[in-house]
Amino acid sequence: MDKIYDVAVIGGGSAGVMAALRTVLNNDDTVLFPGTGKDKKKSRAMWVSKVENMPGHLEYKKGIENPNREQLNWLSTECELKDKFTWLKNRGVTELKKNGDIFELTDNKGEKYQANYVILCTGVMDVQPKIDGEMDPIFPYANNQSIDYCLRCDGHHVFGKKTGIIGHNNGTGWVAAMLHERYNTPEMKIFTHGETPDFSDEVKALIEKYDIEVYEGEIFSVKGDTKTGKLEGFEVEGAGFIDVEMSFVSLGMIVYNELAKALGADVDDRGFVTTNGKGETNIENLYVAGDLRAGVKKQIYTAWDTAVDSADDINAKIRRVRRNE
C-alpha cells in the first residue's frame, strides 16, 4: 500500500496485455492483474483456439493465450523497461475503490494496491446454450470451431456447409441472413431451443426470402464426433435429427462490468461501459479497453487499439503533471 503505481491494468486478454505492454513501453510504472484461474475460465480469450482472421496468429493452437503469454514473458524478462512492470500472476481484483485521486485495489488474496490510473479490461463472455441442463455437450464442438460465436471472426467457416444458428431474437435472424448472403450457404436453419421466436417483420421477410427453416423445439442432444469436433446435427423436440455441419450461437453476452459499476461508471442498455474517445469513463482516470467498452467491435485488433488509446492518454496526463511540476 505504500507504493502508488502509475497504472493498474485489470484483465489479461487481448486488451489487458496490450494495455500493459503500451504503458510499460511508455515508461509508466504498471501493475497487471491478469485474473485468477477461475477468472480466466470465464473469459473469451481462454477458449479461443485457432485465430484465422488476424495476420501472424495462425501458428498458435491457442490464438489469444499463446501470443499473450509470449509477450508478457518478454516484457517481464527481456524488455529494457522490465523494471516498470509488475506482473501479478493468477491475481484478480475483487474490489476497486477510489480515495480522492487514488484508486485502491484489493486482490483475491486480500492484498491491497494503489494506482493513479486504472485500465479495466475484464471483457465479456458469450452466453452458452444448455443442452439437457448442461453446457458441456457444446464444448467439444466449440473448441474445434464447428460451433462458433463471432461471425466476423469465424463466419467463413460456414462456406459450403449446412449451417444452423442457435437463438430466438432479432439478432439471431440477422446473423442467419448475413451469413447466407455472404457465403450462400446450401442450407440455413434457426434453432430457438424451446424459446418463442421474437423476430421483426423485416427479419421475418428475410427468413422467408432465403428459405431459412425455424425449429422451435428444444435441442435434446448434439450429434457428432466429440474427439475431432466434427458436428453432424441436433436432435430436436418434435423434429427429430436435423442435419447441420456448422452452427453459430446467438444468445447474447455476459458483460463483466461489476468493478466499473461499483465505482459508479456509466453503462449502456446492454451493460457495456460508456467512455469518451480515449476510453475514459465518467469516473476521472478510470479507463476501459477491449470488449467491455461500449461502441467498439469485439475483435483482437480493436482491443489493441482501444488499449493503446487509453495508455497513451494516460501517459499524456502523467507527462503534463511532471511538466508543470
Side-chain angles (χ1 to χ4, degrees), residues 32 47 76 95 123 130 141 154 171 186 219 232 270 276 289 294 306:
L32 170 65
W47 301 106
S76 62
E95 186 178 25
K130 291 186 176 181
Y141 307 97
D154 299 306
I219 298 173
E232 295 176 1
R270 297 176 64 194
N276 66 14
T306 56

Side-chain angles (χ1 to χ4, degrees), residues 284-295:
E284 188 177 13
N285 297 335
L286 173 66
Y287 289 74
V288 168
D291 290 353
L292 180 62
R293 182 170 158 184

Side-chain angles (χ1 to χ4, degrees), residues 5-10 19-20 22-24 26-30 103 115-121 276 278-281 283-289 306-323:
Y5 291 91
D6 290 327
V7 188
V9 178
I10 305 174
R22 188 65 261 160
T23 51
V24 171
N26 284 347
N27 203 20
D28 295 331
D29 203 1
T30 301
F103 292 95
N116 290 313
Y117 300 88
V118 169
I119 306 178
L120 197 56
C121 310
N276 66 14
K278 299 298 184 181
E280 188 174 15
T281 71
I283 307 301
E284 188 177 13
N285 297 335
L286 173 66
Y287 289 74
V288 168
T306 56
V308 170
D309 280 348
S310 294
D312 284 353
D313 198 52
I314 288 169
N315 179 257
K317 290 183 176 182
I318 291 172
R319 289 186 290 105
R320 191 177 303 122
V321 169
R322 291 173 182 165
R323 187 186 311 139

